[in-house]
Amino acid sequence: MNIIANAIDALEESNIGKSFAEILANSNRIIITTSIVDKYVKISIADNGQRITEKVKQKIFDHLFTTKGVVRKQV
């Protein structure tokens, strides 16, 4: 679910500054496909948003890594 939620966030962010006509001409898409590979189920998730930079790709599986702003609570 986090992968899909992140894709939605990224697609919404990519619409900032675009007109409705621009957004309509290149609508956001998330494509989920499933297949069987050998004895396993393969789930593929793709979107038509901006690509992930190489710098982010290197950190994507680091614990607590995020590209989103961190909100700190005051106690």
Side-chain angles (χ1 to χ4, degrees):
M1 292 305 296
N2 283 341
I3 292 172
I4 296 169
N6 286 341
I8 291 168
D9 290 346
L11 290 172
E12 287 177 348
E13 188 176 304
S14 71
N15 287 337
I16 295 172
K18 292 182 181 178
S19 69
F20 180 73
E22 290 173 309
I23 294 169
L24 195 57
N26 188 23
S27 299
N28 295 337
R29 274 179 259 133
I30 298 174
I31 301 162
I32 302 170
T33 56
T34 59
S35 60
I36 303 293
V37 178
D38 296 322
K39 298 179 192 176
Y40 301 95
V41 174
K42 177 182 176 182
I43 302 170
S44 300
I45 302 170
D47 64 51
N48 64 336
Q50 297 175 345
R51 295 194 171 270
I52 299 173
T53 66
E54 287 301 319
K55 184 177 179 180
V56 171
K57 281 183 187 179
Q58 292 173 6
K59 297 179 181 181
I60 203 163
F61 292 107
D62 290 357
H63 182 66
L64 298 177
F65 173 74
T66 183
T67 59
K68 298 176 183 177
V70 177
V71 178
R72 299 191 185 270
K73 290 184 179 182
Q74 291 183 353
V75 181

